Amino acid sequence: MTDNKGGFKWAEYIFIFSFMVLIVSLSFLAQPFSLFLVTLIPLPILIASYRHGTLLGGIIAALVSAFFALFLQDASLVILVISMATVGIGLGNALKENFSSKKVLIIGIVASLITVSLLGLGLSLITNQPLLVLYQETTDKIMTEINDRGVFTQAQIEVVQETLKTLPLLFPSMLITGSIFIAGINFLAGSSVLKRLGEDVVTLPPISQWMFPWWVSLLYVILFPLNMLNTYPLFNIIIQNLLSVVRWFLVLQGICIILYFLNSTRMANWFKALILFPIYAFSNWFLVLIGLLDPWLKYRGRARIYQEELKKQKENQKKPE
């Protein structure tokens, strides 16, 4: 019996290692769409850290790093894997300590901030160049490729150029929202996998029930007109970053509201995703609007009351006279 348990553990170790190699490899196959998988690199380390301890999680991360260093000789992948492993170790240990979902999420966000900082520092050390220089070289390559394809109009090219110029100014807000996203997606995926493996772990509430404080909407109402003022450059950059973070939360709240109403139907999950994706891609402003008004209009509360009234009416109709 002991030999069987030991063999099962080794099989699980190998599976976690292979799973992480697969995620990292697929992350660079169909860019930019596959880059979403980069955010899931901490997932195998989270599972390993929770089920078998921090040491094993670190060993698997080191082995995966060595694998890519040996066969691909790519130092950037080594830095990526080691940095992302900190998120998995942080979340795995937080779940193991049975912290509340808020504490687990905060620990994950802090670990994600450390991860992004390590990535930037590592790339800068490898290339021996400042990050801004690296960014400029990358954007130059992107613009060269766009121009060579010849499928974009001059107006579209100018929009891309303007966007690429703006991104460095919004780096603080991108750092914050990116860290929240990495922590949140791994918390959701990790707790779901561990639940399926029979582990009793804390989980986040369903996405359709997420509600952010009312002051997020109020902050957007204040920041939006301030962003239109052309005052001191530093002040404008601060306002733009704050507005970007608040807008991100409102978009997320809008998605939660739409999911709530979609979940009240009998649609298949793939059909819900088919409805939600075009709204997110092409009507971002709509998500911001419904997220902004939610604290006052309380869509989900009104819908819940309406559904309860309908249920009571149906029960009354079924009662014999």
Side-chain angles (χ1 to χ4, degrees), residues 55-70:
L55 180 61
L56 182 72
I59 290 172
I60 290 176
L63 289 174
V64 172
S65 301
F67 174 84
F68 285 107
L70 181 64

Side-chain angles (χ1 to χ4, degrees), residues 19-20 23 36-47 83-92 95 104-105 108-109 111-112 115 178-194 201-204 210:
F19 183 40
M20 190 168 186
I23 289 177
F36 170 76
L37 290 173
V38 172
T39 62
L40 290 175
I41 291 176
L43 180 59
I45 303 300
L46 185 157
I47 297 168
S83 300
M84 282 293 190
T86 61
V87 180
I89 291 173
L91 284 170
L95 287 170
V104 174
L105 190 58
I109 292 169
S112 299
T115 293
S179 298
I180 295 171
F181 181 78
I182 292 171
I185 199 71
N186 281 280
F187 187 4
L188 285 169
S191 58
S192 177
V193 171
L194 290 171
V201 294
V202 66
T203 58
L204 286 170
W210 291 5

Side-chain angles (χ1 to χ4, degrees), residues 65-304:
S65 301
F67 174 84
F68 285 107
L70 181 64
F71 290 99
L72 298 181
Q73 297 183 351
D74 191 337
S76 60
L77 277 180
V78 174
I79 294 171
L80 176 67
V81 170
I82 293 175
S83 300
M84 282 293 190
T86 61
V87 180
I89 291 173
L91 284 170
N93 282 282
L95 287 170
K96 199 169 186 179
E97 292 294 328
N98 202 25
F99 291 143
S100 66
S101 58
K102 286 183 179 179
K103 286 185 178 179
V104 174
L105 190 58
I106 290 170
I107 290 170
I109 292 169
V110 172
S112 299
L113 286 168
I114 294 171
T115 293
V116 177
S117 301
L118 288 174
L119 279 172
L121 179 62
L123 288 173
S124 182
L125 289 174
I126 287 174
T127 58
N128 199 26
Q129 288 181 323
L131 288 177
L132 285 175
V133 175
L134 285 174
Y135 178 79
Q136 188 61 49
E137 289 180 356
T138 305
T139 54
D140 289 343
K141 289 179 182 177
I142 292 171
M143 292 310 303
T144 302
E145 187 175 344
I146 289 174
N147 287 316
D148 291 343
R149 287 184 180 182
V151 296
F152 298 98
T153 64
Q154 186 60 36
Q156 290 174 327
I157 292 173
E158 288 176 1
V159 169
V160 174
Q161 284 178 328
E162 193 62 33
T163 303
L164 292 175
K165 286 180 182 177
T166 307
L167 286 180
L169 301 177
L170 297 176
F171 180 75
S173 61
M174 293 167 62
L175 178 63
I176 293 170
T177 54
S179 298
I180 295 171
F181 181 78
I182 292 171
I185 199 71
N186 281 280
F187 187 4
L188 285 169
S191 58
S192 177
V193 171
L194 290 171
K195 281 277 187 184
R196 291 178 181 274
L197 291 173
E199 302 288 354
D200 184 20
V201 294
V202 66
T203 58
L204 286 170
I207 297 175
S208 59
Q209 295 179 13
W210 291 5
M211 294 181 69
F212 300 115
W214 62 269
W215 51 261
V216 174
S217 296
L218 181 62
L219 197 57
Y220 184 83
V221 173
I222 295 170
L223 291 172
F224 186 77
L226 289 176
N227 187 50
M228 297 180 178
L229 300 175
N230 289 321
T231 55
Y232 298 104
L234 181 59
F235 178 78
N236 289 338
I237 292 171
I238 293 171
I239 294 298
Q240 285 175 5
N241 278 279
L242 289 173
L243 185 63
S244 180
V245 173
V246 173
R247 181 186 172 85
W248 186 83
F249 278 107
L250 291 180
V251 168
L252 183 55
Q253 181 140 297
I255 291 173
C256 297
I257 293 166
I258 291 177
L259 276 176
Y260 177 84
F261 287 102
L262 290 177
N263 288 341
S264 63
T265 66
R266 295 183 179 180
M267 294 181 188
N269 288 334
W270 65 267
F271 194 68
K272 294 175 186 176
L274 201 63
I275 293 173
L276 193 59
F277 179 75
I279 296 174
Y280 175 76
F282 305 109
S283 300
N284 212 264
W285 62 269
F286 177 70
L287 295 173
V288 173
L289 181 62
I290 61 176
L292 176 69
L293 298 176
D294 185 52
W296 296 284
L297 295 182
K298 302 185 185 300
Y299 309 106
R300 287 168 282 191
R302 292 174 185 271
R304 197 177 297 114

